[in-house]
Amino acid sequence: MASKNGQDWLWNLDKKIQPMAIFCVVVLGLIQLLLFFDESRIFLSRIDKLEGDRVALEFTPDNPGNEAEGRSVWQEFQILRRGQKMQIKVLTGSGNQVYIKINGNRAGTLAPGLATVTVYDGDYLEIDATLQTEPVSYQVVKVDPGIVSPFAGAILETRGDTAPIGRIKLKR
């Protein structure tokens, strides 16, 4: 009689394990499906929470012990997201040796006078004029409709340093 109760308990456990396993697989599949959408990915993905942060260290000749490649983990995953375009134009001064930096990496130059860059939600955008001796003013000329910040028409100036445009915010 005792063994029968033991077998009943084991039999009942066996009946419950299969539906629990199926439930877990279905939940896993739904979460993976939700990661395809930008709106839900920001809440579920650790990579999106780290977006724009420097995860890898830069290799410098001053620090030969550091063997990191100098790029963010996020760069590998940007191809899965929708980017928005914005244009920046030089108003006064020379655009030579003035660079656009996205998340600390050079993404383009203002040498032709007008530059178009692709940005993603959370990117940090700045103008690097450290090699320039004269003041340079520039304007955010055009932004795609999906960009909330920075707005078109913003005029900024830098004098031989790095000037922030700001963190990119996209409509959700």
Side-chain angles (χ1 to χ4, degrees):
M1 199 68 132
S3 65
K4 186 169 178 37
N5 286 339
Q7 289 176 353
D8 287 343
W9 176 82
L10 188 59
W11 181 255
N12 286 336
L13 180 66
D14 191 37
K15 286 181 182 178
K16 293 178 183 176
I17 286 179
Q18 186 178 11
M20 287 189 315
I22 292 172
F23 173 76
C24 289
V25 168
V26 168
V27 168
L28 177 67
L30 286 174
I31 290 173
Q32 291 298 316
L33 182 65
L34 286 173
L35 287 173
F36 279 110
F37 302 103
D38 287 336
E39 295 80 19
S40 60
R41 185 184 304 126
I42 196 73
F43 297 107
L44 297 174
S45 174
R46 184 174 217 45
I47 291 172
D48 280 315
K49 291 176 185 172
L50 293 173
E51 178 182 353
D53 292 343
R54 295 294 298 170
V55 181
L57 301 172
E58 290 187 24
F59 175 79
T60 60
D62 304 337
N63 187 5
N66 183 0
E67 297 177 8
E69 266 187 58
R71 65 174 191 220
S72 171
V73 172
W74 176 244
Q75 290 172 347
E76 303 296 328
F77 296 100
Q78 278 185 338
I79 58 173
L80 300 175
R81 307 195 63 220
R82 293 184 308 235
Q84 301 288 324
K85 296 197 182 300
M86 63 185 304
Q87 290 183 340
I88 302 169
K89 176 174 84 169
V90 176
L91 295 176
T92 62
S94 170
N96 297 336
Q97 298 180 334
V98 177
Y99 301 98
I100 300 171
K101 288 176 127 183
I102 298 176
N103 298 329
N105 298 319
R106 287 185 180 172
T109 180
L110 289 172
L114 180 69
T116 302
V117 292
T118 302
V119 293
Y120 300 90
D121 193 27
D123 281 350
Y124 188 72
L125 195 64
E126 53 193 355
I127 300 293
D128 180 9
T130 53
L131 302 174
Q132 197 73 1
T133 56
E134 60 191 45
V136 178
S137 63
Y138 53 92
Q139 178 180 17
V140 178
V141 180
K142 180 182 173 187
V143 297
D144 280 352
I147 299 176
V148 175
S149 174
F151 58 90
I155 298 175
L156 305 152
E157 184 175 312
T158 182
R159 297 173 194 258
D161 60 352
T162 301
I165 293 177
R167 189 159 302 274
I168 303 298
K169 292 182 185 168
L170 300 181
K171 290 181 184 175
R172 298 217 180 256

